[in-house]
Amino acid sequence: MDLENIIGVMNATALTIAALTAALVILPVGQDSVGDKRVWMMLIGLCLILAVRAVLQIMDSVWIQEVCALLGIGAGILIPWMAWKLHGDIRHKAESRKTG
Amino acid sequence: MTMLNGLRWIEQGVLALSGGVLFYFGYCLKREARLDFERLGALVFILAGALGSISNLAGLVFHGTPGYLVAAVGREILTLTPLIAIVWLISGTFGLTAKKLLSLQAQVIETAQSAAVKDAVTGIDNHRAFQRQLEEEVARSGRYNRPLSLLMIDLDHFKTLNDTYGHPVGDAILRELSELIKQGLRTNDLLARFGGEEFSVLLPETTLEGARVVAERLRNCVLYHLFNLPGGHRAFISISVGVANLPIDARDKDGLIEMAEKALYFAKQNGRNRVGLHGEMLKAHFAEDQGSLEVVLRDSKLSVMRNIGLAIDAKTPFTFGHTDQVVRLAMSFAKFLKLDPAEVESLRIASLLHNIGLMNAPENVLNKPGPLTLEERKIIQAHPTLAELLLKDAPRLDGVLPAILYHHERWDGNGYPKGLHGEDIPFLARVLAIAEAYQAMISTRPYRRRLSDDEAIEELHQCAGKQFDPQLVQSFVQVLNKTGLPP
């Protein structure tokens, strides 16, 4: 197992833990949480997909590597979308603070 | 392999774009962020976006193994962004929740505190808050020797208003009245709802005359104010005000309230819509019945004197109740001797104050079990003279002073302070001397045990003609046999 694979496993573990923590701790807080609940769901989903991708990268199969590249493309689209949603939520909160 | 390579190029291109977009939103977030955690999250997005974008662009430009490795680093950084976002949002959520909880807690505490000291109807201080403030102001007034006045304000015919228009209208009147009174006060004055339709106003640093001016101003202010009530009702109402002052009318908190309430009652009795002063009330009583003022003055004065006597008795456990018992003995004796009322009154006061000169005597001397030294004896024997010094300027005590000054003189001339002899000793002093000596004999002292009643009477007989007036001793013994004193 080379360095890239070790990093991949570590990524997978960290992303899975993050997804579980968010699901177990943050979601029950409901409307007190920062940001839209859909963003949280998307983040959890994204974490899990990327965790799977990190594990799959270890394998040598070509078609699995292709799936990994497709997942990377998906993540590359979803990450800006997530950033855009968070930006919207933060701006909305900032305006609420201004207007009281 | 070709397809995989193509996909990897696309992936790198998408991730390079994604990093750029992430960078841009991170920048926007940082600009609009107000809270620390928002700024930190924006910074992470900027860095992740910049690194991801640059490394994937580098991967595209330097196609081949080195370029692929650089792009792989950027890809890992970007794909970790959801993880970073989650950590960031968790900390923000907890921060905001904690902040909200703290704010909620502060709100609950504030509401509870407000409910404890504020009146629910008028929003001004309630009775409890008033009592606490009064206590503080009375203490401050005593400490700095400054005047303090109290107004008790009562709405006239409030019950009729309540019965006619209903309680909601009554509450509206109370609210409007409290606002009106508040506007007529200085910022330092303390307004509270004392209870029902009664309000109290504490006026620190205000003399009786100043308080009367304030009270009159409030009364006029209310009298000419048209109250707009719910349901389109309008009404003129009036108030009665009782005024009392510390230290003129009272010495303590409870006394001040009592006097202000009496003054208020006096104002009500005299037709309402007026200001009543406690002093004026006394004058009115005096005009009605000259004797009643005397009774009021005498009773309050005697009460003060009795407290002084009790305070002196309390200096030593052996003299507990001494003053009260001497007064009882002296009064029974006076009744037996058929003294005139003025003499009875003088004897009563002399009995109450006969030991006032011991106020300064050290407790170790008063409680000394053995014989006194010459110096200590001088301290004790100075008490009649000291009492005279303390009381000589007090009004209406002319007949009392000789009894106090000479109650330790002896019939044979060996007493103190002047060594008077026989009938040169004032009559009331001789009477008091017997009553006091008898009470002392039947009480335990640090230097001897108490005598029984018979032993004390025997001692009186033996000292008749030496220490005491022999005729008065005979009379006193008759009083004891007749009444069975002491208790």
Side-chain angles (χ1 to χ4, degrees):
Chain A
M1 192 181 281
D2 58 16
L3 185 64
E4 196 183 345
N5 290 341
I6 293 170
I7 292 171
V9 172
M10 284 169 69
N11 277 353
T13 313
L15 290 165
T16 311
I17 291 170
L20 288 175
T21 310
L24 291 172
V25 178
I26 299 302
L27 288 182
V29 178
Q31 60 184 22
D32 281 341
S33 61
V34 176
D36 195 313
K37 217 168 185 176
R38 283 171 300 177
V39 179
W40 283 98
M41 296 300 287
M42 186 59 72
L43 278 173
I44 292 166
L46 199 56
C47 278
L48 292 174
I49 290 167
L50 293 174
V52 172
R53 176 181 173 273
V55 173
L56 290 177
Q57 265 186 325
I58 300 168
M59 300 178 187
D60 291 332
S61 167
V62 173
W63 72 269
I64 287 177
Q65 291 301 318
E66 285 170 356
V67 168
C68 285
L70 284 172
L71 287 174
I73 293 167
I77 295 165
L78 284 173
I79 287 167
W81 176 83
M82 178 200 73
W84 172 67
K85 286 295 291 179
L86 283 174
H87 166 254
D89 286 341
I90 296 289
R91 192 166 61 180
H92 175 70
K93 273 188 188 293
E95 278 169 6
S96 302
R97 276 198 296 266
K98 272 184 205 164
T99 55
Chain B
M1 285 301 283
T2 312
M3 180 159 175
L4 180 60
N5 276 338
L7 279 174
R8 277 186 172 157
W9 283 5
I10 296 169
E11 186 189 13
Q12 282 171 26
V14 169
L15 287 174
L17 274 174
S18 168
V21 175
L22 195 63
F23 178 87
Y24 170 72
F25 282 122
Y27 169 74
C28 293
L29 274 178
K30 188 173 183 301
R31 203 177 49 192
E32 287 160 13
R34 295 283 184 280
L35 305 174
D36 286 344
F37 89 93
E38 289 174 0
R39 288 197 196 97
L40 188 68
L43 201 63
V44 171
F45 279 10
I46 287 172
L47 287 172
L51 286 173
S53 181
I54 290 167
S55 54
N56 278 293
L57 275 175
L60 280 173
V61 173
F62 304 106
H63 183 58
T65 308
Y68 171 74
L69 284 176
V70 172
V73 172
R75 190 183 59 217
E76 293 304 330
I77 290 170
L78 276 175
T79 54
L80 277 174
T81 307
L83 170 67
I84 294 163
I86 281 183
V87 172
W88 171 53
L89 288 182
I90 286 172
S91 64
T93 297
F94 279 140
L96 285 185
T97 309
K99 202 171 167 185
K100 198 170 176 183
L101 282 174
L102 286 173
S103 148
L104 197 68
Q105 187 192 21
Q107 216 174 339
V108 168
I109 290 171
E110 196 184 327
T111 310
Q113 281 176 342
S114 171
V117 296
K118 295 288 176 196
D119 175 56
V121 175
T122 58
I124 59 174
D125 286 351
N126 62 14
H127 187 93
R128 182 192 299 187
F130 165 73
Q131 288 285 354
R132 203 183 56 215
Q133 285 168 343
L134 179 61
E135 206 164 307
E136 285 171 12
E137 288 300 330
V138 166
R140 201 194 320 273
S141 162
R143 201 179 312 131
Y144 300 112
N145 200 21
R146 303 298 302 160
L148 171 70
S149 293
L150 174 65
L151 310 183
M152 297 299 287
I153 301 171
D154 195 86
L155 210 61
D156 296 332
H157 304 295
F158 185 65
K159 190 178 179 304
T160 315
L161 276 169
N162 254 343
D163 292 346
T164 311
Y165 298 111
H167 286 279
V169 172
D171 287 349
I173 290 176
L174 291 175
R175 267 192 295 276
E176 199 166 342
L177 178 65
S178 67
E179 277 301 314
L180 206 58
I181 295 172
K182 212 189 290 178
Q183 285 165 17
L185 296 175
R186 300 166 302 184
T187 47
N188 286 348
D189 300 336
L190 304 161
L191 169 67
R193 188 174 174 197
F194 194 74
E197 71 269 30
E198 210 170 316
F199 293 86
S200 55
V201 179
L202 260 179
L203 303 170
E205 301 274 333
T206 309
T207 60
L208 191 60
E209 193 46 43
R212 183 220 284 267
V213 171
V214 174
E216 282 292 356
R217 189 174 67 220
L218 293 178
R219 187 184 67 80
N220 280 315
C221 185
V222 173
L223 189 63
Y224 298 111
H225 179 80
L226 183 60
F227 284 76
N228 288 307
L229 310 175
H233 301 295
R234 304 173 94 191
F236 283 106
I237 60 171
S238 65
I239 54 171
S240 299
V241 188
V243 184
N245 178 269
L246 199 80
I248 292 176
D249 300 317
R251 297 275 169 195
D252 56 19
K253 176 173 88 85
D254 295 334
L256 190 63
I257 295 174
E258 189 189 341
M259 295 307 140
E261 293 239 284
K262 278 184 179 172
L264 174 63
Y265 184 64
F266 173 69
K268 289 266 182 195
Q269 270 190 323
N270 283 273
R272 298 185 172 89
N273 183 29
R274 57 173 293 154
V275 173
L277 269 67
H278 182 250
E280 274 182 357
M281 181 188 81
L282 290 180
K283 274 186 204 162
H285 280 308
F286 184 60
E288 255 175 40
D289 174 9
Q290 195 154 349
S292 67
L293 181 63
E294 295 281 355
V295 170
V296 169
L297 289 175
R298 194 194 66 199
D299 285 351
S300 59
K301 195 165 69 180
L302 287 178
S303 157
V304 172
M305 290 174 186
R306 180 171 180 270
N307 287 340
I308 294 171
L310 293 178
I312 295 161
D313 290 352
K315 280 171 79 83
T316 155
F318 302 104
T319 54
F320 180 77
H322 171 77
T323 299
D324 275 353
Q325 284 194 34
V326 171
V327 172
R328 291 190 62 217
L329 285 166
M331 289 302 97
S332 299
F333 200 7
K335 194 175 170 187
F336 181 84
L337 294 170
K338 294 188 171 58
L339 300 184
D340 66 55
E343 282 182 316
V344 172
E345 200 52 31
S346 294
L347 184 61
R348 185 203 302 271
I349 296 171
S351 308
L352 282 168
L353 297 177
H354 69 279
N355 273 345
I356 194 171
L358 286 175
M359 211 157 20
N360 245 6
E363 284 173 26
N364 61 335
V365 176
L366 292 173
N367 291 317
K368 188 170 179 182
L372 298 179
T373 64
L374 190 63
E375 204 60 37
E376 290 164 345
R377 195 178 294 277
K378 274 184 187 170
I379 291 172
I380 296 296
Q381 290 185 349
H383 82 269
T385 318
L386 192 58
E388 189 200 19
L389 280 172
L390 288 169
L391 300 171
K392 69 178 179 186
D393 293 327
R396 306 159 69 98
L397 288 183
D398 299 343
V400 178
L401 279 182
I404 295 175
L405 181 61
Y406 300 118
H407 76 279
H408 279 291
E409 296 290 359
R410 290 171 60 105
W411 185 257
D412 57 12
N414 290 325
Y416 62 89
K418 294 278 170 72
L420 297 183
H421 183 277
E423 292 191 349
D424 289 346
I425 305 168
F427 178 70
L428 291 183
R430 281 181 270 151
V431 173
L432 178 59
I434 294 172
E436 205 234 352
Y438 178 76
Q439 201 289 324
M441 283 191 271
I442 59 167
S443 311
T444 304
R445 287 289 182 265
Y447 45 85
R448 61 155 173 78
R449 67 170 179 84
R450 72 181 288 275
L451 303 183
S452 68
D453 292 352
D454 291 340
E455 284 171 329
I457 290 171
E458 182 56 34
E459 185 69 18
L460 282 179
H461 280 307
Q462 283 189 7
C463 292
K466 295 177 198 162
Q467 185 173 349
F468 306 118
D469 180 335
Q471 278 189 342
L472 284 178
V473 168
Q474 294 300 329
S475 304
F476 188 71
V477 172
Q478 283 182 45
V479 174
L480 292 178
N481 291 333
K482 195 173 165 185
T483 60
L485 283 169

